Amino acid sequence: MWVDVFSSHSDTTEAENNYVDAQVRLMLGRYAGQIDKVEVFLLADENQTQTQPQFQCTIRVGLKGYQAVEANEVASKASDAINACTHRAKRYVKRALRLSG
């Protein structure tokens, strides 16, 4: 399973990329044989009027022979957005494979 991580931060560390990769593999590893590619997009909206920035995580999962599924989550912490989005992506992949088979 190929995992690409894209971030709005140009200073994303290797540790952050490894965390995202580990979370995706933990949640979607069971379906690795049916997944072509996973793209993870992390965006930080720091221009909000709120005191804390908002982090948006989008995960696009390309399934072999099926349409891609996409999950989105927004949270005040990047790790919370990543965790919630990987859980949602797992549910979407499971549902897509169950409905197609």
Side-chain angles (χ1 to χ4, degrees), residues 5 15-17 19-24 27 40-43 55-59 71-75 77-89:
V5 180
E16 290 169 331
N17 287 338
Y19 176 76
V20 172
D21 188 72
Q23 282 300 108
V24 168
M27 288 295 122
V40 181
F41 300 92
L42 299 171
L43 303 171
F55 294 92
Q56 178 182 356
C57 180
T58 301
I59 298 177
N72 296 298
E73 283 293 332
V74 176
K77 290 178 27 180
S79 60
D80 291 344
I82 293 164
N83 293 341
C85 198
T86 55
H87 282 282
R88 186 175 299 270

Side-chain angles (χ1 to χ4, degrees), residues 7-57:
S7 177
S8 64
H9 301 302
S10 59
D11 59 343
T12 303
T13 65
E14 186 174 340
E16 290 169 331
N17 287 338
N18 290 340
Y19 176 76
V20 172
D21 188 72
Q23 282 300 108
V24 168
R25 290 184 189 283
L26 177 68
M27 288 295 122
L28 300 176
R30 178 179 182 181
Y31 308 103
Q34 298 157 316
I35 294 174
D36 281 327
K37 185 178 184 179
V38 179
E39 296 175 327
V40 181
F41 300 92
L42 299 171
L43 303 171
D45 187 6
E46 298 172 1
N47 296 328
Q48 298 238 346
T49 58
Q50 301 168 344
T51 58
Q52 294 183 346
Q54 292 291 310
F55 294 92
Q56 178 182 356
C57 180

